[in-house]
Amino acid sequence: QVQVKESGGGVVQRGGSLRLSCTVSGLVFNDYAVNWFRQAPGKEREGISCINWSGYMKYYADSLKGRFSISRDDAKNTVYLEMNSLTPEDTAMYYCATKRYDCSPNLSDAEINDWGKGTLVTVSP
């Protein structure tokens, strides 16, 4: 049984940083890309980042403007999302999800295999 679990969310002030973790079990982790999505209140879910199975290909939404960084540690079956210079517009539920091998360059949720339940990030003004 595949399990995808996010952690690291919380409340942070504008300009602060957080590191989210996504730990996956029940599959061969290095056969999978891992995506991060977020959904802000009243808005549609958007893809924000992805790292492919090898870790060599990384994708980011243009809206992030270089503030976020994705990485993976296959020994721990974990992907990290380092988020810097946070603003209230980053307040959202953050989800990670697995996809076989490679990322979708447009960060779509097509062909996603498994989803986590999310971790809430709140950025105060």
Side-chain angles (χ1 to χ4, degrees), residues 6 9 12 16 18 20 34-50 59-70 81-97 106-109 112 115-123:
E6 304 91 341
V12 63
L18 280 176
L20 305 185
V34 175
N35 295 257
W36 284 97
F37 296 85
R38 69 182 180 185
Q39 187 165 20
K43 295 188 177 180
E44 292 188 355
R45 186 173 60 202
E46 63 170 331
I48 57 172
S49 187
C50 181
Y59 300 86
Y60 300 95
D62 291 342
S63 61
L64 300 183
K65 299 180 182 177
R67 298 181 295 119
F68 291 11
S69 177
I70 193 169
L81 186 69
E82 187 76 36
M83 307 187 298
N84 299 308
S85 302
L86 289 164
T87 74
E89 289 68 36
D90 294 312
T91 294
M93 187 69 81
Y94 285 71
Y95 301 91
C96 75
N106 63 358
L107 299 174
S108 80
D109 59 6
I112 290 293
W115 291 88
K117 294 182 179 180
T119 187
L120 181 62
V121 172
T122 303
V123 184

Short mmCIF file of all heavy atoms in Angstrom, two decimals, residues 6 9 12 16 18 20 34-50 59-70 81-97 106-109 112 115-123:
data_model
loop_
_atom_site.label_atom_id
_atom_site.label_comp_id
_atom_site.label_asym_id
_atom_site.label_seq_id
_atom_site.Cartn_x
_atom_site.Cartn_y
_atom_site.Cartn_z
N GLU A 6 3.00 14.36 3.85
CA GLU A 6 3.66 15.66 3.91
C GLU A 6 3.84 16.07 5.37
O GLU A 6 3.04 15.70 6.23
CB GLU A 6 2.83 16.74 3.21
CG GLU A 6 2.48 16.46 1.77
CD GLU A 6 1.16 15.73 1.62
OE1 GLU A 6 0.69 15.13 2.62
OE2 GLU A 6 0.59 15.74 0.51
N GLY A 9 4.59 21.93 7.49
CA GLY A 9 3.79 23.14 7.39
C GLY A 9 3.68 23.83 8.74
O GLY A 9 4.07 23.30 9.77
N VAL A 12 4.16 31.09 9.59
CA VAL A 12 5.42 31.83 9.48
C VAL A 12 5.09 33.26 9.10
O VAL A 12 4.07 33.53 8.46
CB VAL A 12 6.34 31.15 8.44
CG1 VAL A 12 5.72 31.17 7.06
CG2 VAL A 12 7.73 31.73 8.45
N GLY A 16 9.66 34.95 5.88
CA GLY A 16 10.25 33.78 6.51
C GLY A 16 10.41 32.61 5.57
O GLY A 16 10.12 32.70 4.37
N LEU A 18 10.26 28.09 5.25
CA LEU A 18 9.82 26.78 5.74
C LEU A 18 10.40 25.72 4.83
O LEU A 18 10.63 25.96 3.65
CB LEU A 18 8.29 26.65 5.73
CG LEU A 18 7.47 27.28 6.85
CD1 LEU A 18 5.98 27.10 6.54
CD2 LEU A 18 7.82 26.67 8.19
N LEU A 20 9.28 21.96 3.65
CA LEU A 20 8.30 20.88 3.64
C LEU A 20 8.99 19.58 3.27
O LEU A 20 9.94 19.57 2.47
CB LEU A 20 7.18 21.16 2.65
CG LEU A 20 6.43 22.48 2.80
CD1 LEU A 20 5.28 22.54 1.80
CD2 LEU A 20 5.92 22.67 4.22
N VAL A 34 8.39 13.21 -8.03
CA VAL A 34 7.52 13.71 -6.96
C VAL A 34 7.18 15.17 -7.24
O VAL A 34 8.06 15.98 -7.52
CB VAL A 34 8.19 13.56 -5.58
CG1 VAL A 34 7.31 14.19 -4.50
CG2 VAL A 34 8.43 12.09 -5.27
N ASN A 35 5.92 15.45 -7.18
CA ASN A 35 5.39 16.79 -7.44
C ASN A 35 4.92 17.45 -6.15
O ASN A 35 4.47 16.77 -5.22
CB ASN A 35 4.15 16.69 -8.35
CG ASN A 35 4.46 16.16 -9.71
OD1 ASN A 35 4.52 16.91 -10.66
ND2 ASN A 35 4.63 14.87 -9.83
N TRP A 36 4.97 18.77 -6.16
CA TRP A 36 4.31 19.57 -5.13
C TRP A 36 3.22 20.40 -5.81
O TRP A 36 3.46 21.04 -6.85
CB TRP A 36 5.27 20.49 -4.41
CG TRP A 36 6.14 19.79 -3.41
CD1 TRP A 36 7.42 19.35 -3.60
CD2 TRP A 36 5.80 19.44 -2.07
NE1 TRP A 36 7.90 18.76 -2.46
CE2 TRP A 36 6.92 18.80 -1.50
CE3 TRP A 36 4.65 19.61 -1.29
CZ2 TRP A 36 6.92 18.33 -0.18
CZ3 TRP A 36 4.66 19.14 0.01
CH2 TRP A 36 5.78 18.51 0.55
N PHE A 37 2.05 20.38 -5.18
CA PHE A 37 0.93 21.21 -5.59
C PHE A 37 0.50 22.04 -4.39
O PHE A 37 0.80 21.71 -3.25
CB PHE A 37 -0.26 20.35 -6.04
CG PHE A 37 0.01 19.51 -7.25
CD1 PHE A 37 0.60 18.27 -7.15
CD2 PHE A 37 -0.36 19.96 -8.51
CE1 PHE A 37 0.85 17.48 -8.27
CE2 PHE A 37 -0.12 19.20 -9.64
CZ PHE A 37 0.49 17.95 -9.51
N ARG A 38 -0.24 23.09 -4.65
CA ARG A 38 -0.83 23.84 -3.55
C ARG A 38 -2.21 24.34 -3.96
O ARG A 38 -2.50 24.51 -5.13
CB ARG A 38 0.05 25.00 -3.11
CG ARG A 38 0.16 26.14 -4.11
CD ARG A 38 1.12 27.21 -3.58
NE ARG A 38 1.25 28.33 -4.50
CZ ARG A 38 2.09 29.34 -4.31
NH1 ARG A 38 2.89 29.39 -3.24
NH2 ARG A 38 2.14 30.33 -5.19
N GLN A 39 -3.04 24.52 -2.94
CA GLN A 39 -4.37 25.06 -3.17
C GLN A 39 -4.66 26.09 -2.11
O GLN A 39 -4.75 25.76 -0.91
CB GLN A 39 -5.43 23.97 -3.17
CG GLN A 39 -6.80 24.48 -3.58
CD GLN A 39 -7.76 23.36 -3.92
OE1 GLN A 39 -7.58 22.21 -3.53
NE2 GLN A 39 -8.80 23.69 -4.68
N ALA A 40 -4.78 27.33 -2.56
CA ALA A 40 -5.11 28.43 -1.66
C ALA A 40 -6.61 28.52 -1.49
O ALA A 40 -7.37 28.06 -2.36
CB ALA A 40 -4.55 29.74 -2.22
N PRO A 41 -7.08 29.11 -0.41
CA PRO A 41 -8.53 29.24 -0.20
C PRO A 41 -9.21 29.93 -1.38
O PRO A 41 -8.77 31.00 -1.82
CB PRO A 41 -8.62 30.08 1.07
CG PRO A 41 -7.34 29.84 1.78
CD PRO A 41 -6.31 29.65 0.71
N GLY A 42 -10.24 29.30 -1.89
CA GLY A 42 -11.00 29.89 -2.98
C GLY A 42 -10.35 29.83 -4.34
O GLY A 42 -10.86 30.40 -5.31
N LYS A 43 -9.23 29.12 -4.43
CA LYS A 43 -8.52 29.05 -5.71
C LYS A 43 -8.36 27.60 -6.15
O LYS A 43 -8.49 26.68 -5.35
CB LYS A 43 -7.15 29.72 -5.60
CG LYS A 43 -7.22 31.21 -5.34
CD LYS A 43 -5.85 31.84 -5.43
CE LYS A 43 -5.91 33.34 -5.24
NZ LYS A 43 -4.58 33.98 -5.34
N GLU A 44 -8.05 27.44 -7.41
CA GLU A 44 -7.81 26.10 -7.94
C GLU A 44 -6.43 25.60 -7.51
O GLU A 44 -5.52 26.39 -7.26
CB GLU A 44 -7.90 26.10 -9.46
CG GLU A 44 -9.30 26.36 -9.99
CD GLU A 44 -9.39 26.17 -11.49
OE1 GLU A 44 -8.35 25.92 -12.14
OE2 GLU A 44 -10.50 26.25 -12.02
N ARG A 45 -6.30 24.31 -7.47
CA ARG A 45 -5.01 23.70 -7.18
C ARG A 45 -4.02 23.99 -8.31
O ARG A 45 -4.40 23.96 -9.49
CB ARG A 45 -5.17 22.20 -7.03
CG ARG A 45 -3.92 21.47 -6.58
CD ARG A 45 -4.23 20.02 -6.30
NE ARG A 45 -4.74 19.33 -7.46
CZ ARG A 45 -5.46 18.22 -7.41
NH1 ARG A 45 -5.77 17.70 -6.23
NH2 ARG A 45 -5.88 17.64 -8.52
N GLU A 46 -2.79 24.30 -7.96
CA GLU A 46 -1.77 24.58 -8.96
C GLU A 46 -0.52 23.74 -8.69
O GLU A 46 -0.14 23.52 -7.54
CB GLU A 46 -1.40 26.07 -8.97
CG GLU A 46 -0.79 26.59 -7.70
CD GLU A 46 -0.21 27.99 -7.81
OE1 GLU A 46 0.22 28.40 -8.92
OE2 GLU A 46 -0.21 28.69 -6.78
N GLY A 47 0.10 23.30 -9.76
CA GLY A 47 1.38 22.62 -9.63
C GLY A 47 2.47 23.64 -9.44
O GLY A 47 2.51 24.66 -10.15
N ILE A 48 3.36 23.41 -8.47
CA ILE A 48 4.39 24.40 -8.20
C ILE A 48 5.81 23.87 -8.39
O ILE A 48 6.72 24.66 -8.66
CB ILE A 48 4.25 25.00 -6.80
CG1 ILE A 48 4.28 23.92 -5.71
CG2 ILE A 48 2.98 25.85 -6.69
CD1 ILE A 48 4.35 24.48 -4.30
N SER A 49 6.02 22.58 -8.29
CA SER A 49 7.36 22.07 -8.47
C SER A 49 7.34 20.56 -8.69
O SER A 49 6.38 19.89 -8.29
CB SER A 49 8.23 22.40 -7.25
OG SER A 49 9.59 22.06 -7.48
N CYS A 50 8.37 20.07 -9.31
CA CYS A 50 8.51 18.63 -9.52
C CYS A 50 9.98 18.28 -9.64
O CYS A 50 10.76 19.06 -10.21
CB CYS A 50 7.76 18.20 -10.78
SG CYS A 50 7.84 16.42 -11.09
N TYR A 59 11.58 21.20 -11.94
CA TYR A 59 10.69 22.16 -12.57
C TYR A 59 10.03 23.01 -11.49
O TYR A 59 9.72 22.52 -10.41
CB TYR A 59 9.60 21.45 -13.38
CG TYR A 59 10.14 20.57 -14.48
CD1 TYR A 59 10.51 19.25 -14.21
CD2 TYR A 59 10.28 21.03 -15.78
CE1 TYR A 59 11.01 18.43 -15.21
CE2 TYR A 59 10.77 20.22 -16.78
CZ TYR A 59 11.14 18.92 -16.49
OH TYR A 59 11.64 18.11 -17.48
N TYR A 60 9.80 24.27 -11.86
CA TYR A 60 9.16 25.20 -10.93
C TYR A 60 8.13 26.04 -11.68
O TYR A 60 8.35 26.40 -12.84
CB TYR A 60 10.19 26.13 -10.30
CG TYR A 60 11.26 25.43 -9.50
CD1 TYR A 60 12.47 25.10 -10.08
CD2 TYR A 60 11.04 25.09 -8.18
CE1 TYR A 60 13.47 24.44 -9.36
CE2 TYR A 60 12.02 24.43 -7.44
CZ TYR A 60 13.23 24.12 -8.05
OH TYR A 60 14.20 23.46 -7.32
N ALA A 61 7.06 26.39 -10.99
CA ALA A 61 6.10 27.34 -11.55
C ALA A 61 6.74 28.71 -11.67
O ALA A 61 7.51 29.13 -10.78
CB ALA A 61 4.87 27.40 -10.67
N ASP A 62 6.42 29.40 -12.74
CA ASP A 62 6.98 30.75 -12.94
C ASP A 62 6.61 31.69 -11.81
O ASP A 62 7.39 32.59 -11.46
CB ASP A 62 6.47 31.32 -14.26
CG ASP A 62 7.04 30.60 -15.47
OD1 ASP A 62 8.07 29.90 -15.32
OD2 ASP A 62 6.43 30.71 -16.55
N SER A 63 5.46 31.46 -11.21
CA SER A 63 4.97 32.36 -10.17
C SER A 63 5.85 32.35 -8.92
O SER A 63 5.77 33.25 -8.09
CB SER A 63 3.54 31.98 -9.79
OG SER A 63 3.50 30.65 -9.28
N LEU A 64 6.69 31.32 -8.77
CA LEU A 64 7.51 31.23 -7.57
C LEU A 64 8.71 32.16 -7.61
O LEU A 64 9.30 32.46 -6.57
CB LEU A 64 8.00 29.79 -7.37
CG LEU A 64 6.92 28.74 -7.20
CD1 LEU A 64 7.56 27.38 -6.95
CD2 LEU A 64 5.98 29.11 -6.07
N LYS A 65 9.10 32.57 -8.79
CA LYS A 65 10.17 33.57 -8.97
C LYS A 65 11.46 33.18 -8.26
O LYS A 65 12.14 34.00 -7.66
CB LYS A 65 9.70 34.94 -8.49
CG LYS A 65 8.50 35.45 -9.26
CD LYS A 65 8.04 36.82 -8.77
CE LYS A 65 6.82 37.29 -9.53
NZ LYS A 65 6.32 38.60 -9.02
N GLY A 66 11.77 31.90 -8.29
CA GLY A 66 13.05 31.45 -7.77
C GLY A 66 13.14 31.34 -6.26
O GLY A 66 14.23 31.16 -5.72
N ARG A 67 12.02 31.44 -5.58
CA ARG A 67 12.05 31.43 -4.11
C ARG A 67 12.04 30.02 -3.52
O ARG A 67 12.38 29.84 -2.36
CB ARG A 67 10.85 32.21 -3.58
CG ARG A 67 10.85 33.67 -3.97
CD ARG A 67 9.65 34.39 -3.38
NE ARG A 67 8.39 33.89 -3.93
CZ ARG A 67 7.43 33.31 -3.20
NH1 ARG A 67 7.59 33.16 -1.89
NH2 ARG A 67 6.32 32.90 -3.78
N PHE A 68 11.62 29.03 -4.30
CA PHE A 68 11.48 27.67 -3.80
C PHE A 68 12.54 26.77 -4.42
O PHE A 68 12.97 26.99 -5.55
CB PHE A 68 10.10 27.10 -4.14
CG PHE A 68 8.94 27.72 -3.40
CD1 PHE A 68 9.08 28.89 -2.66
CD2 PHE A 68 7.68 27.12 -3.47
CE1 PHE A 68 8.01 29.45 -1.99
CE2 PHE A 68 6.60 27.68 -2.80
CZ PHE A 68 6.76 28.84 -2.08
N SER A 69 12.93 25.73 -3.69
CA SER A 69 13.92 24.78 -4.19
C SER A 69 13.50 23.37 -3.80
O SER A 69 13.16 23.11 -2.65
CB SER A 69 15.29 25.09 -3.60
OG SER A 69 16.26 24.15 -4.02
N ILE A 70 13.54 22.46 -4.77
CA ILE A 70 13.13 21.07 -4.52
C ILE A 70 14.36 20.18 -4.54
O ILE A 70 15.30 20.41 -5.32
CB ILE A 70 12.08 20.62 -5.56
CG1 ILE A 70 11.41 19.32 -5.14
CG2 ILE A 70 12.69 20.51 -6.96
CD1 ILE A 70 10.17 18.96 -6.00
N LEU A 81 10.86 20.50 -0.05
CA LEU A 81 10.57 21.76 -0.73
C LEU A 81 10.98 22.88 0.21
O LEU A 81 10.33 23.11 1.23
CB LEU A 81 9.09 21.87 -1.10
CG LEU A 81 8.75 23.10 -1.94
CD1 LEU A 81 9.34 22.94 -3.34
CD2 LEU A 81 7.23 23.27 -2.04
N GLU A 82 12.07 23.53 -0.12
CA GLU A 82 12.57 24.66 0.65
C GLU A 82 11.90 25.92 0.13
O GLU A 82 12.00 26.23 -1.07
CB GLU A 82 14.09 24.76 0.51
CG GLU A 82 14.73 25.80 1.41
CD GLU A 82 14.84 25.33 2.85
OE1 GLU A 82 15.08 24.13 3.07
OE2 GLU A 82 14.68 26.18 3.75
N MET A 83 11.22 26.64 1.02
CA MET A 83 10.45 27.82 0.61
C MET A 83 11.00 29.04 1.34
O MET A 83 11.02 29.06 2.58
CB MET A 83 8.97 27.62 0.94
CG MET A 83 8.40 26.33 0.39
SD MET A 83 6.60 26.20 0.60
CE MET A 83 6.46 26.22 2.38
N ASN A 84 11.39 30.04 0.58
CA ASN A 84 12.00 31.24 1.14
C ASN A 84 11.21 32.49 0.74
O ASN A 84 10.41 32.45 -0.20
CB ASN A 84 13.44 31.37 0.66
CG ASN A 84 14.30 30.20 1.09
OD1 ASN A 84 14.35 29.84 2.26
ND2 ASN A 84 14.96 29.57 0.13
N SER A 85 11.46 33.56 1.46
CA SER A 85 10.81 34.86 1.17
C SER A 85 9.31 34.71 1.02
O SER A 85 8.70 35.21 0.07
CB SER A 85 11.42 35.46 -0.12
OG SER A 85 12.81 35.64 0.02
N LEU A 86 8.72 34.02 1.97
CA LEU A 86 7.28 33.72 1.89
C LEU A 86 6.44 34.98 2.06
O LEU A 86 6.81 35.91 2.80
CB LEU A 86 6.91 32.68 2.95
CG LEU A 86 7.44 31.27 2.65
CD1 LEU A 86 7.38 30.39 3.90
CD2 LEU A 86 6.63 30.63 1.53
N THR A 87 5.34 34.99 1.36
CA THR A 87 4.38 36.08 1.43
C THR A 87 3.01 35.50 1.77
O THR A 87 2.79 34.29 1.62
CB THR A 87 4.29 36.84 0.10
OG1 THR A 87 3.58 36.04 -0.85
CG2 THR A 87 5.68 37.16 -0.44
N PRO A 88 2.07 36.35 2.19
CA PRO A 88 0.72 35.83 2.47
C PRO A 88 0.09 35.13 1.26
O PRO A 88 -0.76 34.25 1.43
CB PRO A 88 -0.06 37.09 2.85
CG PRO A 88 0.98 37.98 3.45
CD PRO A 88 2.21 37.74 2.64
N GLU A 89 0.51 35.48 0.05
CA GLU A 89 -0.01 34.82 -1.15
C GLU A 89 0.43 33.35 -1.25
O GLU A 89 -0.10 32.59 -2.06
CB GLU A 89 0.42 35.57 -2.41
CG GLU A 89 -0.27 36.93 -2.59
CD GLU A 89 0.14 37.96 -1.57
OE1 GLU A 89 1.33 37.97 -1.15
OE2 GLU A 89 -0.72 38.77 -1.15
N ASP A 90 1.41 32.96 -0.45
CA ASP A 90 1.84 31.55 -0.41
C ASP A 90 1.00 30.72 0.56
O ASP A 90 1.20 29.50 0.65
CB ASP A 90 3.31 31.47 -0.01
CG ASP A 90 4.24 32.08 -1.04
OD1 ASP A 90 4.08 31.78 -2.23
OD2 ASP A 90 5.12 32.88 -0.64
N THR A 91 0.10 31.35 1.28
CA THR A 91 -0.77 30.61 2.20
C THR A 91 -1.63 29.64 1.42
O THR A 91 -2.35 30.02 0.49
CB THR A 91 -1.65 31.58 2.99
OG1 THR A 91 -0.82 32.37 3.85
CG2 THR A 91 -2.68 30.83 3.81
N ALA A 92 -1.54 28.37 1.77
CA ALA A 92 -2.25 27.33 1.03
C ALA A 92 -2.06 26.00 1.72
O ALA A 92 -1.20 25.84 2.60
CB ALA A 92 -1.72 27.23 -0.41
N MET A 93 -2.85 25.03 1.29
CA MET A 93 -2.57 23.63 1.62
C MET A 93 -1.61 23.11 0.57
O MET A 93 -1.85 23.29 -0.63
CB MET A 93 -3.85 22.82 1.61
CG MET A 93 -3.69 21.39 2.10
SD MET A 93 -3.33 21.29 3.86
CE MET A 93 -4.99 21.48 4.51
N TYR A 94 -0.54 22.51 1.01
CA TYR A 94 0.49 21.99 0.11
C TYR A 94 0.41 20.46 0.08
O TYR A 94 0.41 19.81 1.13
CB TYR A 94 1.87 22.45 0.56
CG TYR A 94 2.14 23.90 0.24
CD1 TYR A 94 1.49 24.92 0.93
CD2 TYR A 94 3.03 24.26 -0.76
CE1 TYR A 94 1.70 26.25 0.63
CE2 TYR A 94 3.27 25.59 -1.07
CZ TYR A 94 2.60 26.58 -0.37
OH TYR A 94 2.83 27.90 -0.68
N TYR A 95 0.37 19.94 -1.13
CA TYR A 95 0.24 18.50 -1.34
C TYR A 95 1.42 17.98 -2.13
O TYR A 95 1.90 18.66 -3.05
CB TYR A 95 -1.01 18.17 -2.14
CG TYR A 95 -2.30 18.62 -1.52
CD1 TYR A 95 -2.84 19.87 -1.80
CD2 TYR A 95 -3.01 17.78 -0.65
CE1 TYR A 95 -4.03 20.28 -1.24
CE2 TYR A 95 -4.20 18.19 -0.08
CZ TYR A 95 -4.71 19.44 -0.38
OH TYR A 95 -5.88 19.84 0.18
N CYS A 96 1.88 16.78 -1.81
CA CYS A 96 2.82 16.13 -2.72
C CYS A 96 2.16 14.91 -3.35
O CYS A 96 1.17 14.37 -2.83
CB CYS A 96 4.14 15.81 -2.05
SG CYS A 96 4.16 14.43 -0.94
N ALA A 97 2.70 14.51 -4.47
CA ALA A 97 2.11 13.45 -5.25
C ALA A 97 3.19 12.78 -6.09
O ALA A 97 4.13 13.43 -6.54
CB ALA A 97 1.01 14.00 -6.15
N ASN A 106 4.77 20.98 -17.63
CA ASN A 106 3.81 22.02 -17.29
C ASN A 106 3.21 21.83 -15.90
O ASN A 106 2.28 22.52 -15.52
CB ASN A 106 2.69 22.09 -18.33
CG ASN A 106 1.88 20.80 -18.38
OD1 ASN A 106 2.16 19.84 -17.67
ND2 ASN A 106 0.86 20.77 -19.23
N LEU A 107 3.76 20.88 -15.13
CA LEU A 107 3.36 20.64 -13.74
C LEU A 107 1.88 20.31 -13.60
O LEU A 107 1.24 20.66 -12.60
CB LEU A 107 3.73 21.85 -12.86
CG LEU A 107 5.22 22.17 -12.82
CD1 LEU A 107 5.48 23.47 -12.05
CD2 LEU A 107 5.99 21.03 -12.16
N SER A 108 1.34 19.62 -14.61
CA SER A 108 -0.07 19.24 -14.52
C SER A 108 -0.23 18.05 -13.57
O SER A 108 0.74 17.37 -13.23
CB SER A 108 -0.60 18.88 -15.90
OG SER A 108 -0.22 17.56 -16.24
N ASP A 109 -1.47 17.82 -13.18
CA ASP A 109 -1.76 16.68 -12.30
C ASP A 109 -2.19 15.44 -13.08
O ASP A 109 -2.65 14.46 -12.49
CB ASP A 109 -2.78 17.03 -11.24
CG ASP A 109 -4.10 17.49 -11.83
OD1 ASP A 109 -4.26 17.43 -13.06
OD2 ASP A 109 -4.97 17.91 -11.06
N ILE A 112 -0.86 11.51 -12.29
CA ILE A 112 -0.43 11.40 -10.90
C ILE A 112 -0.88 10.03 -10.37
O ILE A 112 -2.00 9.59 -10.63
CB ILE A 112 -1.02 12.52 -10.03
CG1 ILE A 112 -0.37 13.85 -10.38
CG2 ILE A 112 -0.86 12.21 -8.54
CD1 ILE A 112 1.11 13.94 -10.03
N TRP A 115 -1.54 10.60 -3.96
CA TRP A 115 -1.54 11.91 -3.32
C TRP A 115 -1.37 11.78 -1.81
O TRP A 115 -1.86 10.83 -1.21
CB TRP A 115 -2.87 12.62 -3.56
CG TRP A 115 -3.11 13.06 -4.97
CD1 TRP A 115 -3.70 12.32 -5.96
CD2 TRP A 115 -2.81 14.32 -5.53
NE1 TRP A 115 -3.76 13.05 -7.11
CE2 TRP A 115 -3.23 14.29 -6.88
CE3 TRP A 115 -2.22 15.49 -5.05
CZ2 TRP A 115 -3.08 15.39 -7.74
CZ3 TRP A 115 -2.07 16.58 -5.90
CH2 TRP A 115 -2.49 16.51 -7.23
N GLY A 116 -0.74 12.78 -1.23
CA GLY A 116 -0.77 12.92 0.20
C GLY A 116 -1.99 13.71 0.63
O GLY A 116 -2.75 14.21 -0.21
N LYS A 117 -2.17 13.85 1.94
CA LYS A 117 -3.34 14.55 2.46
C LYS A 117 -3.08 16.04 2.66
O LYS A 117 -4.01 16.78 2.95
CB LYS A 117 -3.78 13.90 3.78
CG LYS A 117 -4.28 12.48 3.58
CD LYS A 117 -4.77 11.86 4.88
CE LYS A 117 -5.30 10.45 4.64
NZ LYS A 117 -5.78 9.83 5.89
N GLY A 118 -1.84 16.45 2.55
CA GLY A 118 -1.53 17.86 2.59
C GLY A 118 -0.99 18.35 3.91
O GLY A 118 -1.19 17.72 4.96
N THR A 119 -0.30 19.46 3.86
CA THR A 119 0.18 20.16 5.05
C THR A 119 -0.09 21.65 4.84
O THR A 119 0.12 22.19 3.76
CB THR A 119 1.67 19.88 5.31
OG1 THR A 119 2.06 20.44 6.56
CG2 THR A 119 2.58 20.41 4.20
N LEU A 120 -0.60 22.29 5.87
CA LEU A 120 -1.05 23.68 5.74
C LEU A 120 0.10 24.65 6.03
O LEU A 120 0.77 24.53 7.06
CB LEU A 120 -2.21 23.94 6.70
CG LEU A 120 -2.82 25.33 6.68
CD1 LEU A 120 -3.42 25.64 5.31
CD2 LEU A 120 -3.87 25.46 7.77
N VAL A 121 0.25 25.60 5.12
CA VAL A 121 1.22 26.68 5.30
C VAL A 121 0.45 27.99 5.41
O VAL A 121 -0.36 28.31 4.52
CB VAL A 121 2.21 26.75 4.11
CG1 VAL A 121 3.08 28.00 4.21
CG2 VAL A 121 3.07 25.49 4.09
N THR A 122 0.69 28.71 6.46
CA THR A 122 0.04 30.01 6.67
C THR A 122 1.12 31.06 6.85
O THR A 122 1.97 30.93 7.73
CB THR A 122 -0.88 29.98 7.89
OG1 THR A 122 -1.85 28.95 7.73
CG2 THR A 122 -1.59 31.32 8.06
N VAL A 123 1.06 32.10 6.02
CA VAL A 123 2.03 33.18 6.11
C VAL A 123 1.31 34.43 6.60
O VAL A 123 0.37 34.90 5.94
CB VAL A 123 2.72 33.44 4.76
CG1 VAL A 123 3.80 34.51 4.91
CG2 VAL A 123 3.31 32.15 4.20
#
